[in-house]
Amino acid sequence: MPFLLDDDHRQIVQEAERVLSDGWSPDGLRHLLERVGAHDDRFWTTCRDMGWTGITISEDHGGLGLGPIALCLTAEVVGRFVGGAPFLSTGYGVSEALRRFGSNDQQGRYLAGLANGERTGAIDLTSALDGGERLAWTDGRLSGATGLVAAGAWADLLVTVARDTATGGDVLVLVALDEQAHPEPVQTFDNSRGYAVLHFNSAPAEVLATEHAGDAALELLARVAVIVAFEQLGGAEACMERARNFANERQAFGQPIGKFQAIKHRIAEMYVANELARGNALRAALSLRDDAGDLVLRAGAARLTAIDAYEFAATEAIQTHGAIGITWEHDLHLFFRRSRALALELGGRGPWQDVVARRVIAGVAA
Amino acid sequence: MTSLSPELEAFRDRVVAFMDPHVAEYGQAARLGLSLDDDIALARRWQATKAAAGYAGLTFPTEYGGAGLTQLEQVIFVAEEAARGFPAGYFVISLSMPIPMMLRYATPEQKARFVPPALRGEQIWSQLFSEPSTGSDLAAVRTRAVRDGEDWIISGQKVWTTFAQYSDYGVIVARTDPDAPKHRGLTYFFVDLKAQGVTVRPIRQLHSAAEFNEVFFDDVRVPDAWRLGGVGDGFRLAVETLMIERYTAAADETGFGPPLDALISLAREAQLDGRPALEDGRVRAVIAQAYATQQGLLAISEKSILELAAGREPGPEGSIHKLVGARGRREVALCALDLLGTDGLRFDAAAHPRPKTDFAMSWMDQPTLRIAGGTDEMLLNTVAERILGLPQDYRPDKLPR
């Protein structure tokens, strides 16, 4: 049963808020939007300096060993600022893959670099949702092209699921994105995420798991989805607060526009959607921490409500602001873009609805 | 992160051990097809069984037949009760509003006389606040109470009084000073609904059952000793009553409609485009979204329990529950009726279908849920004003005179 934050958690949140409020604003993101394959290096440096890159990595490997809830809460704060570097969640996907499936040798080679942020990770696991096309894996070598991968333009390591051409089965692999991988940065509506298609032509790739590799990939994706649900929640909260503050300040027809129920009810609806998303996200976080419950199902519920909450808040915050909200100069379009980017990059509503439905239906006896 | 204490988990285990042997007699399946009268009779027996085992009135003081526990145990108990579909609804108003108000404001003799029988299910209480001219505007009450020696004479009309036709007593707000500003001229009493001059007329709802009533007071004599709080203090006490309601709002994440399992079972049988409906993306989307919403509500309930345990006031969980639960229930019911096709039209009011087990009834009852106990619009106002600090609605009735 969930979950009240304790003092340690509150401290993590306060510290993250302090650092980001002092040193960073969404304003810096705007110029990244006009460059393909960009990311906010200054923001990433902050993440490294704060040790956020190693929150969940054990102290043996140079991390903080704080567990996933600390990372979830940090991601929520980052989401409030539309942080411009995807590695926090995608790198977690890679370090988790190593923690769960990596050999001692693999962990020794890669985790310390991920922990201090020298190495960055990306994941390409959405094919686990829908059985989509996979890369081909033959005798330790990877070929083919990924879909759009967040952070793909600069990541050092990629975890993906490929098809073993010998057996026809799935294999979870780790591939170093050195000169053997050819990232093709892709122009998107949220260029700050560094989306790229990665092309492999017989690039060496290490095996992480062959047994039930598809399930393993789905579970990894679900784990990242929980972290991202917090990031989405943070974004949704920020949009709600901006809408609320604007509605209190902006006068029209002789009164603050927040007096009009058409406005105030919309903002109250944002709160309701956010609370649903928060409840699900917290439950899923407990599943992450305890390796308990049906993680994929809980992550799915968290993801569906987080997608809904962020997109509603971002869209309706713009509407609340009126024309100022649709200008390039205003921050709201950064949230608006990000809400859709986060909804798509780990698999959208449709595939996640199907994952959730499949599990819920399986739980009801015929 | 904090979780529920071992003591509370142990309490839950005891509750489960107490309830499970009674499922056959009082659970969801036992109630299928019962007439309303039979269901209420069953509910009275279940209430008496709970009282005998010390589980009625969990938060009430032991000297009046309660268990002297906290809101926490209450929330845990209600959740387990709801999960088994036990008939507790008929006493929810009695035991969560009028009786707690009696415990706060009545004399010890009155408490001793009224509280224990109410706990045993021997009495049902009503709350008589709304009038034809009032709804959410509680202070617009016109029913009069005029002082006559040691008594008050009450005249007027109340409406939307839940289960008044089965009720023995009620709490009422009446205007005792027509010259005072509207929020200040009201007084709070409890009344005998079987007394001379009281007429109860059930109101048939759109689904043809009658949960609500009009109640007419034609010079009904009420002793001054049955006044709760001071003369002119009625509005404050009424608001206090409603706050208890928000606080204890039942946490049923299905919005009191049929569980999701029932939709899944139905979709397993039904066909769409020549395939089992369960394979249809539209149906799967409804199932997934309803599940996600229900789990979110469950998480909010769990969090509010922990807030209570930590000694903090919970937020507006009850409001969110009613708002979101009612919407989710509509989505699920509509999907189910769609799958049934023209068979979805079947509805036999005489068989007393219940919204918890019958999709047509669930759909027909959903508009009620959006209105009763605070409309969606009032709940959104509450969230906007109390939590988010947005400005209050324009309220000319509250301007200084």
Side-chain angles (χ1 to χ4, degrees):
Chain A
M1 167 162 273
F3 36 62
L4 292 183
L5 302 190
D6 56 33
D7 287 343
D8 289 347
H9 291 128
R10 255 186 282 277
Q11 221 169 343
I12 289 167
V13 171
Q14 282 166 8
E15 184 63 5
E17 273 172 354
R18 187 187 64 73
V19 168
L20 290 180
S21 305
D22 287 354
W24 206 80
S25 81
D27 197 42
L29 263 185
R30 233 173 305 270
H31 73 279
L32 295 177
L33 294 178
E34 296 180 296
R35 290 164 45 206
V36 178
H39 79 109
D40 188 339
D41 208 34
R42 198 161 68 86
F43 178 80
W44 182 238
T45 305
T46 302
C47 292
R48 291 179 61 179
D49 290 348
M50 293 298 293
W52 294 340
T53 49
I55 287 176
T56 60
I57 298 174
S58 70
E59 288 169 285
D60 298 346
H61 293 290
L64 300 179
L66 286 177
I69 288 170
L71 180 60
C72 288
L73 298 174
T74 306
E76 183 180 345
V77 179
V78 168
R80 298 177 65 86
F81 292 85
V82 226
F87 307 116
L88 207 55
S89 54
T90 60
Y92 166 78
V94 174
S95 63
E96 271 303 292
L98 282 162
R99 182 179 75 84
R100 300 174 73 78
F101 305 109
S103 64
N104 285 340
D105 171 57
Q106 286 169 324
Q107 293 183 1
R109 273 187 287 141
Y110 298 120
L111 282 178
L114 286 165
N116 66 23
E118 271 170 26
R119 258 186 234 275
T120 52
I123 56 167
D124 169 46
L125 298 169
T126 50
S127 65
L129 281 173
D130 50 17
E133 187 142 337
R134 291 168 170 33
L135 298 163
W137 188 81
T138 310
D139 279 342
R141 294 191 169 264
L142 199 62
S143 294
T146 63
L148 258 64
V149 173
W154 339 272
D156 303 301
L157 295 168
L158 177 79
V159 169
T160 185
V161 58
R163 181 138 296 153
D164 183 344
T165 52
T167 66
D170 285 337
V171 55
L172 188 72
V173 300
L174 176 77
V175 49
L177 300 175
D178 48 25
E179 61 277 5
Q180 308 240 25
H182 306 287
E184 174 204 337
V186 177
Q187 177 142 354
T188 65
F189 55 72
D190 190 356
N191 278 335
S192 63
R193 301 290 287 173
Y195 292 108
V197 173
L198 297 163
H199 299 272
F200 299 103
N201 186 7
S202 213
E206 301 175 40
V207 174
L208 289 173
T210 49
E211 290 277 299
H212 307 294
D215 292 342
L218 181 58
E219 194 187 323
L220 275 176
L221 186 66
R223 288 182 163 264
V224 177
V226 178
I227 310 295
V228 171
F230 279 89
E231 191 174 342
Q232 291 168 307
L233 178 62
E237 290 269 314
C239 291
M240 179 189 77
E241 284 166 20
R242 282 160 184 257
R244 190 235 0 238
N245 295 345
F246 187 80
N248 271 330
E249 285 157 18
R250 165 77 172 172
Q251 302 268 327
F253 308 105
Q255 58 178 355
I257 61 169
K259 265 199 176 209
F260 299 112
Q261 288 191 342
I263 306 279
K264 78 197 279 192
H265 284 184
R266 189 157 60 211
I267 299 169
E269 296 276 12
M270 291 179 199
Y271 176 84
V272 171
N274 291 355
E275 285 304 293
L276 282 178
R278 180 185 302 286
N280 277 326
L282 285 167
R283 290 184 114 218
L286 288 185
S287 264
L288 275 194
R289 183 189 67 183
D290 303 336
D291 279 326
D294 186 339
L295 173 70
V296 173
L297 186 55
R298 285 189 171 194
R303 178 147 182 83
L304 291 176
T305 43
I307 288 174
D308 288 348
Y310 197 2
E311 296 204 322
F312 179 72
T315 306
E316 297 304 323
I318 291 177
Q319 180 68 13
T320 303
H321 280 71
I324 193 74
I326 55 168
T327 61
W328 179 262
E329 290 310 314
H330 203 281
D331 287 345
L332 281 174
H333 69 96
L334 304 173
F335 292 92
F336 177 65
R337 292 164 192 275
R338 182 61 53 82
S339 70
R340 189 91 280 253
L342 293 182
L344 291 176
E345 70 179 41
L346 298 182
R349 273 191 191 87
W352 277 98
Q353 282 173 341
D354 220 47
V355 164
V356 169
R358 198 178 305 140
R359 283 174 143 71
V360 172
I361 289 166
V364 179
Chain B
M1 289 202 187
T2 316
S3 295
L4 211 55
S5 69
E7 290 77 18
L8 286 169
E9 291 295 357
F11 175 77
R12 186 193 299 277
D13 291 344
R14 285 202 301 282
V15 166
V16 168
F18 162 66
M19 285 184 186
D20 279 345
H22 292 297
V23 168
E25 190 175 359
Y26 300 109
Q28 191 78 266
R31 298 171 63 199
L32 272 180
L34 287 189
S35 71
L36 193 57
D37 285 339
D38 287 345
D39 201 42
I40 291 175
L42 191 76
R44 287 183 189 274
R45 290 207 299 281
W46 169 234
Q47 191 65 30
T49 304
K50 286 195 285 183
Y55 286 114
L58 287 174
T59 62
F60 291 19
T62 49
E63 57 181 310
Y64 300 117
L69 297 171
T70 69
Q71 283 284 343
L72 276 168
E73 284 90 355
Q74 168 84 6
V75 174
I76 289 169
F77 190 91
V78 168
E80 295 298 332
E81 212 177 14
R84 288 162 181 75
F86 285 157
Y90 306 107
F91 302 101
V92 164
I93 290 181
S94 302
L95 299 179
S96 41
M97 286 169 274
I99 297 294
M101 290 302 281
M102 284 213 85
L103 284 170
R104 290 181 194 195
Y105 294 102
T107 64
E109 296 73 33
Q110 289 166 346
K111 291 182 206 173
R113 175 179 161 193
F114 291 109
V115 177
L119 282 181
R120 292 193 297 266
E122 290 158 20
Q123 300 169 352
I124 296 180
W125 285 64
S126 280
Q127 177 174 285
L128 302 126
F129 289 180
S130 290
E131 296 188 3
S133 59
T134 72
S136 299
D137 185 5
L138 183 59
V141 161
R142 288 183 188 165
T143 292
R144 289 189 321 277
V146 179
R147 188 76 194 234
D148 181 37
E150 283 306 294
D151 294 336
W152 295 82
I153 311 288
I154 297 183
S155 312
Q157 181 191 353
K158 294 288 177 177
V159 74
W160 316 125
T161 312
T162 309
F163 296 135
Q165 71 269 52
Y166 303 104
S167 291
D168 307 285
Y169 300 95
V171 288
I172 189 170
V173 181
R175 188 161 300 283
T176 45
D177 183 353
D179 298 324
K182 80 180 218 190
H183 290 85
R184 288 188 218 138
L186 305 174
T187 303
Y188 197 100
F189 301 93
F190 62 101
V191 290
D192 179 353
L193 291 177
K194 309 291 185 200
Q196 181 78 31
V198 178
T199 308
V200 176
R201 272 197 216 145
I203 297 172
R204 201 170 166 189
Q205 287 161 253
L206 61 87
H207 50 55
S208 95
E211 293 156 359
F212 302 118
N213 298 267
E214 297 179 285
V215 184
F216 297 88
F217 290 82
D218 188 8
D219 290 340
V220 176
R221 194 163 277 274
V222 176
D224 185 54
W226 285 27
R227 168 168 51 82
L228 293 186
V231 174
D233 223 8
F235 182 75
R236 188 181 66 77
L237 262 63
V239 170
E240 189 176 322
T241 312
L242 294 173
M243 290 310 289
I244 305 177
E245 174 180 30
R246 298 267 153 84
Y247 205 59
T248 54
D252 182 337
E253 62 277 3
T254 64
F256 308 94
L260 202 47
D261 292 9
L263 174 64
I264 291 170
S265 299
L266 188 65
R268 213 168 244 143
E269 304 300 320
Q271 296 269 316
L272 267 179
D273 297 336
R275 292 185 304 151
L278 258 189
E279 291 171 15
D280 188 275
R282 293 162 294 187
V283 176
R284 294 172 83 85
V286 169
I287 291 169
Q289 293 293 145
Y291 177 81
T293 303
Q294 291 179 7
Q295 292 299 301
L297 289 177
L298 195 63
I300 289 171
S301 302
E302 289 174 350
K303 186 153 155 268
S304 68
I305 293 180
L306 292 169
E307 298 271 4
L308 279 167
R312 275 178 248 154
E313 287 272 315
E317 287 82 8
S319 299
I320 293 180
H321 244 99
K322 195 170 97 67
L323 189 73
V324 177
R327 289 175 186 168
R329 158 170 159 179
R330 177 170 178 274
E331 295 302 316
V332 169
L334 284 178
C335 181
L337 294 182
D338 276 347
L339 289 179
L340 288 164
T342 49
D343 274 340
L345 289 161
R346 291 177 193 278
F347 180 75
D348 179 4
H352 302 284
R354 286 190 302 114
K356 188 81 190 157
T357 48
D358 184 282
F359 281 114
M361 186 59 173
S362 174
W363 168 72
M364 293 185 82
D365 195 44
Q366 192 258 354
T368 303
L369 197 62
R370 292 186 63 197
I371 294 165
T375 60
D376 284 4
E377 291 74 17
M378 293 303 288
L379 299 182
L380 288 170
N381 269 4
T382 303
V383 168
E385 293 170 12
R386 299 240 176 103
I387 300 169
L388 301 178
L390 283 155
Q392 288 215 336
D393 278 14
Y394 179 54
R395 293 286 303 275
D397 64 331
K398 278 200 154 177
L399 292 177
R401 294 192 172 190

